[in-house]
Amino acid sequence: MVGGEVSETAVRPKIGARHCHRPGRHCGSSAIRDLLEFHGLVMSEACCFGLGAGLGITYVETAASNTPFIVHVRSMEFEEKVFNTLDVPFSWRSYRDQRSANTDLKRVLNENRPALLLTDIFHLPYFQSSTHFAGHAIVAWLYDEERDEVLVSDTERPGLIAVSTADLADARFSTAPPFIHNGNLFAPEAIKASVTPERIRRAIFDNAYALANGDRFSGLAALDTWIDRLSHWAADENWRWSLRFAYQVIEKRGTGGAGFRTLYADFLEEASARLTVVRDAKLVELMRGAAAAWSGLAAVLKMASEATTFPSGDIELAINRVKSHESRYVKCVLDALG
């Protein structure tokens, strides 16, 4: 379902009575989809992900961490892009400290305004994570004053989850690149928007353009940087964990599989019903091919993480296979929609 327009007479539900969470595949797209539905705009998670031009490739090295090599496979400004595509005013509200962040969250929830938040899963007890992973989007729906807890929804988990305000405050602040957030909160009073063929077309083009025109650490060029830096991965004493983590980021950590490419292919499938160019250019088939290549890379990384020696050649071959499929898709989009 590609989505429709908010009714002028749409009545927002009382959060205390019900919420709008539907289990999803990715934190950001499922959280924003939930928030949009609360305000009357119903769409699939795949549509939300596509409108946010969600595909990305970012190579990051953070020496002073237990994950010194990171390859992110989603765009960095996804949340902002969804709302920009819909022409909905958007800006994160950030805070100097946890106390002011807590106070403001309680205020908007008491005003019956669910809040989109960014968090580090390390501090969310229900994850039981020993690894910091920031930039994780959730929605806060209700503040329980008696228990001093906030009820939140999160990706594939059904229903609402109680999190203490102390734990949530810790989770909302992260200083680890590339996802730095200082209590980031977005809680609009109302949203009026619609999903149009032109907005779909623009989002598809913008995503392909961004992949084609990144720097050496973003977009398609980041894959070359990754290959160039494989010797540094191999020299690190914890290279097996780095490879395992890269596999997880592509296939397991809230991507819907295949580095978000399966989710994006579902968006293109929906979009083809409203944009004949998507069907004519065979964008769905090209993206399914890219998804298979990403899953293939993830499988190589998983096996490599259990190897006795660092298999540079196998990894490089798998990365180049991804680059070939992604480049073919990007060129086709830019030619067909440019």
Side-chain angles (χ1 to χ4, degrees):
M1 179 169 51
V2 172
E5 184 170 353
V6 175
S7 167
E8 294 285 358
T9 58
V11 178
R12 293 193 303 174
K14 291 293 183 182
I15 295 175
R18 72 179 183 90
H19 56 85
C20 296
H21 177 59
R22 282 188 269 153
R25 290 179 276 179
H26 168 55
C27 64
S29 49
S30 61
I32 295 175
R33 190 219 64 80
D34 290 348
L35 186 66
L36 291 172
E37 182 166 324
F38 177 81
H39 288 282
L41 180 56
V42 180
M43 67 178 68
S44 70
E45 181 189 359
C47 178
C48 183
F49 186 80
L51 293 177
L55 300 183
I57 308 168
T58 304
Y59 182 87
V60 180
E61 292 188 4
T62 54
S65 77
N66 65 344
T67 52
F69 307 102
I70 302 175
V71 180
H72 282 286
V73 288
R74 199 210 71 183
S75 57
M76 292 292 102
E77 304 297 332
F78 167 74
E79 293 85 5
E80 180 178 0
K81 178 63 176 175
V82 176
F83 295 103
N84 286 347
T85 298
L86 293 170
D87 291 328
V88 172
F90 175 88
S91 63
W92 287 115
R93 186 176 298 171
S94 58
Y95 305 88
R96 295 188 309 274
D97 52 50
Q98 292 187 5
R99 182 177 179 181
S100 58
N102 269 343
T103 299
D104 206 33
L105 176 60
K106 293 173 186 178
R107 178 184 64 81
V108 299
L109 294 182
N110 287 335
E111 293 174 357
N112 195 42
R113 291 160 53 193
L116 180 68
L117 307 175
L118 293 183
T119 62
D120 180 347
I121 68 171
F122 179 84
H123 297 291
L124 295 175
Y126 55 87
F127 270 98
Q128 298 182 325
S129 175
S130 59
T131 303
H132 287 277
F133 198 79
H136 181 76
I138 62 175
V139 177
W141 297 91
L142 184 69
Y143 173 59
D144 185 334
E145 186 172 4
E146 182 178 345
R147 297 177 178 272
D148 196 25
E149 293 176 335
V150 177
L151 298 181
V152 305
S153 58
D154 192 338
T155 321
E156 78 278 7
R157 293 167 173 80
L160 300 184
I161 308 161
V163 181
S164 73
T165 56
D167 286 333
L168 188 57
D170 286 339
R172 291 175 63 194
F173 285 78
S174 169
T175 57
F179 291 109
I180 297 173
H181 41 83
N182 296 293
N184 288 34
L185 175 150
F186 178 62
E189 294 182 2
I191 291 175
K192 188 179 188 305
S194 61
V195 180
T196 65
E198 174 54 27
R199 285 173 175 165
I200 296 170
R201 189 207 66 79
R202 189 174 79 224
I204 294 171
F205 179 85
D206 287 352
N207 207 164
Y209 186 87
L211 287 170
N213 292 279
D215 57 31
R216 58 189 296 255
F217 297 106
S218 65
L220 296 175
L223 295 173
D224 293 325
T225 300
W226 188 3
I227 291 172
D228 291 342
R229 300 294 291 178
L230 282 177
S231 61
H232 294 262
W233 290 53
D236 186 80
E237 62 180 357
N238 294 317
W239 61 263
R240 290 179 182 84
W241 166 237
S242 293
L243 294 176
R244 192 76 174 192
F245 188 70
Y247 149 71
Q248 292 175 358
V249 168
I250 294 169
E251 203 68 32
K252 294 291 185 181
R253 289 179 177 259
T255 69
F260 297 103
R261 272 57 184 176
T262 298
L263 184 59
Y264 197 83
D266 292 345
F267 159 65
L268 292 173
E269 190 121 32
E270 293 182 15
S272 67
R274 301 182 71 176
L275 285 175
T276 57
V277 66
V278 172
R279 182 177 63 252
D280 294 343
K282 299 189 182 303
L283 298 187
V284 176
E285 292 86 346
L286 288 170
M287 185 51 57
R288 298 280 183 210
W294 277 102
S295 287
L297 171 58
V300 168
L301 293 169
K302 183 180 181 183
M303 288 188 292
S305 73
E306 300 166 358
T308 55
T309 58
F310 192 93
S312 297
D314 292 342
I315 297 171
E316 181 175 347
L317 185 64
I319 295 172
N320 276 324
R321 190 176 296 117
V322 165
K323 185 180 179 183
S324 175
H325 280 275
E326 294 266 305
S327 298
R328 196 176 307 135
Y329 168 80
V330 166
K331 182 179 186 305
C332 191
V333 171
L334 297 183
D335 288 347
L337 277 68

